[in-house]
Amino acid sequence: MTPDDERIPLADIALERKRLARDGALRRRLADHLVPGLPVDADACELRVPEVRVGSVLGTLVDELTTVKEPFFDTVCERWKDVCPDVPARPGRYRDGRLFLYVGTSGLVFSLRPKLAKIKKRLLALPGAPAARRLSLHLEVHAPPRTKH
């Protein structure tokens, strides 16, 4: 390796300088609070650096990783009331050709099961719909979405 290959990127140098300045300020703060003759705690409060909480980052990260844009599902959600106005279900999720419709009770699952073929036929008429054999409908019991008062 030549010295040119071992160069540190400018962003890393700036970050290291910032870190060194922060640590120096923390050590000076600790030195200001020291009492001569007393021991120094191994984890002194003055030397602690605030950290980002995992929970504050994790929610948005998981949402970004698990969100897949499906144009067909977006169309179904937008036009659900027009396509199936008499159906007491709502589109829940769509993955790998499986469209899950959410209903409020198990009784609705029982009553809607015979109507799935008719609903599927209506949905296949929407733009961007997959082939008939690639789409399957499923019913799941879910509580209705909360509305803001």
Side-chain angles (χ1 to χ4, degrees), residues 80-81 87-93 100-104 140 142-145:
W80 180 253
K81 295 288 184 189
V87 178
R90 65 186 191 283
R93 67 181 190 275
F100 292 87
L101 301 175
Y102 293 170
V103 295
E140 285 187 0
H142 282 262

Side-chain angles (χ1 to χ4, degrees), residues 16-116:
E16 186 63 25
R17 285 183 181 154
K18 189 175 178 182
R19 200 175 299 130
L20 287 172
R22 180 199 66 201
D23 291 346
L26 292 174
R27 281 192 298 277
R28 283 189 297 279
R29 191 169 124 202
L30 175 66
D32 291 343
H33 292 101
L34 285 180
V35 176
L38 292 179
V40 178
D41 188 10
D43 183 28
C45 297
E46 291 84 4
L47 295 177
R48 292 183 187 160
V49 178
E51 295 294 329
V52 176
R53 300 248 181 218
V54 174
S56 66
V57 178
L58 195 59
T60 55
L61 181 66
V62 169
D63 289 342
E64 288 177 15
L65 291 175
T66 58
T67 301
V68 176
K69 287 293 183 187
E70 291 287 347
F72 172 65
F73 184 63
D74 293 340
T75 305
V76 169
C77 291
E78 289 170 6
R79 301 192 47 202
W80 180 253
K81 295 288 184 189
D82 301 331
V83 175
C84 300
D86 56 334
V87 178
R90 65 186 191 283
R93 67 181 190 275
Y94 178 74
R95 181 172 290 151
D96 299 327
R98 301 170 129 210
L99 177 62
F100 292 87
L101 301 175
Y102 293 170
V103 295
T105 65
S106 59
L108 285 174
V109 171
F110 183 75
S111 68
L112 287 178
R113 194 170 304 261
K115 299 177 184 177
L116 286 179

